[in-house]
Amino acid sequence: MPFRSLLFVPGDSERKQAKAESVGADVLILDLEDSVDISRLPIARDMVRDYLTAHTARRAQLWVRINPLDSGLALDDLAAVVRGKPDGILLPKVAGGADIALLDNYLSALEARDGVAAGTIGILPVATETAQALFGLGTYFAKSERLRGLTWGAEDLAAAVGAISNRLDDGEYDFTYKLARSLCLLGAHAAGVAPIDTIWGNFRDAEGLMRDAKLARRAGFTGKIAIHPDQVGPINEAFTPTDAELARAQRIVQAFADSPGVGTLQLDGEMLDRPHLKQAQRTLASAPAAA
Ligand code: COA
Ligand code: MG
């Protein structure tokens, strides 16, 4: 299943839930956390469960963002939605791999209670939203078979450290947030799961989004979170290899296949060795037909 575009949909908005079905996102994240006022949380839980139950045949994967494990709300969120068989849970404000092991246990218990096949609900943590979380980014390896990726965020981290802004005067992220982004990328690859880039908040700025998404893919991210339907198409495009990239990857794989037992060779005057082969294979694997 492709995992390029993940669109946030507020859990208490019928209108947005209806709209979300037709925008072509790989994943919809039905939100019970920051986009829902606490007074509406009980209604949102029911709406999200009903939406899941009404969509058993799914074009997009349906994930749910619950409230943080230490909020006192997470277990009730899970108890409400697991019976709807969500494809996964987006867990905000995690500290590290131990939180994933705990959520894995909760999910196993609720899957058993609700007759959901064991181990089928995935987990995607937002892994940079507290100061402590930055020191936990190397701890996700082998904590749970459910782990599908890691993503990061700059807004809650800025609030956590009392920053007046997470940006510099020229609009670039300050170093702390670039560090969070890089550690998320490395932590995800270290755990063998997908690194998912954070939101582009200005949803009217299509050009900025495209630039940001392409930079993320170039850096090694494999998908990106969207907050508005208009962002889904550009994100899908940015994270799909172009025909030229596929053709070149094919040639690299072929060149190695044509030279058995050879570790390094040249193509168009450029030295190629194992990392190039690995990257070419990765590119081919991420082609829409392969996915
Ligand atoms: N999912 C599904 N549909 C959405 C949507 C979303 N995230 N954001 C907007 N839409 C719909 C709107 O309802 C509207 O549809 P309509 O014409 O049928 O009413 C259409 O897309 C165009 O929306 P637009 O008028 O441009 O924006 P808006 O003012 O309605 O909403 C936001 C702007 C930012 C409030 C909205 O995009 C949103 O709620 N985003 C998600 C926020 C979120 O989940 N944040 C938490 C994670 S950071
Ligand atoms: Mg948040």
Side-chain angles (χ1 to χ4, degrees):
M1 286 278 253
F3 212 63
R4 301 163 303 180
S5 53
L6 299 82
L7 174 65
F8 264 119
V9 186
D12 64 341
S13 171
E14 210 166 330
R15 196 176 180 117
K16 287 173 187 166
Q17 285 170 12
K19 170 100 180 173
E21 284 169 40
S22 57
V23 303
D26 293 333
V27 176
L28 302 181
I29 306 168
L30 306 164
D31 187 26
L32 295 176
E33 199 213 7
D34 287 347
S35 72
V36 176
D37 187 81
I38 186 79
S39 68
R40 303 257 307 159
L41 183 56
I43 295 168
R45 284 176 182 147
D46 289 346
M47 286 178 64
V48 167
R49 186 200 45 241
D50 291 348
Y51 188 87
L52 292 167
T53 315
H55 293 79
T56 43
R58 292 171 188 174
R59 239 179 311 168
Q61 291 188 45
L62 298 181
W63 286 57
V64 179
R65 179 166 71 173
I66 62 168
N67 284 282
L69 288 177
D70 63 2
S71 65
L73 304 169
L75 275 172
D76 286 332
D77 290 347
L78 289 170
V81 302
V82 163
R83 70 191 60 199
K85 302 191 172 84
D87 295 289
I89 299 296
L90 186 73
L91 185 64
K93 302 179 181 74
V94 299
D99 286 347
I100 306 309
L102 179 58
L103 177 58
D104 184 311
N105 285 335
Y106 288 162
L107 287 172
S108 294
L110 290 169
E111 283 169 345
R113 183 197 70 173
D114 290 337
V116 177
T120 49
I121 300 177
I123 299 175
L124 176 64
V126 191
T128 68
E129 291 189 309
T130 66
Q132 193 194 352
L134 271 281
F135 300 97
L137 277 156
T139 63
Y140 290 94
F141 178 71
K143 289 298 186 299
S144 167
E145 294 278 313
R146 300 176 188 273
L147 191 68
R148 301 281 188 275
L150 294 185
T151 188
W152 70 286
E155 310 311 324
D156 288 276
L157 182 57
V161 303
I164 291 161
S165 170
N166 53 26
R167 303 274 184 178
L168 301 173
D169 287 341
D170 63 4
E172 288 277 301
Y173 275 124
D174 195 1
F175 176 73
T176 302
Y177 311 92
K178 289 186 173 168
L179 178 71
R181 177 181 185 269
S182 288
L183 288 174
C184 172
L185 175 71
L186 294 164
H189 283 290
V193 297
I196 304 297
D197 194 28
T198 194
I199 64 164
W200 182 256
N202 181 353
F203 58 86
R204 305 276 183 234
D205 175 18
E207 215 172 283
L209 168 68
M210 200 55 173
R211 191 176 348 108
D212 196 51
K214 284 188 167 161
L215 281 174
R217 173 157 178 262
R218 193 194 297 182
F221 288 91
T222 56
K224 186 172 178 66
I225 296 191
I227 51 160
H228 188 282
D230 290 352
Q231 296 187 316
V232 169
I235 290 175
N236 285 345
E237 185 189 329
F239 287 95
T240 302
T242 63
D243 289 346
E245 286 167 348
L246 289 173
R248 175 154 176 85
Q250 190 58 57
R251 286 182 66 215
I252 292 172
V253 169
Q254 193 60 48
F256 279 96
D258 290 344
S259 309
V262 172
T264 182
L265 44 81
Q266 71 90 14
L267 189 70
D268 307 333
E270 196 190 328
M271 185 279 286
L272 299 178
D273 61 4
R274 204 182 309 278
H276 300 94
L277 176 60
K278 196 170 160 187
Q279 185 56 33
Q281 287 164 335
R282 201 192 279 273
T283 298
L284 293 177
S286 71

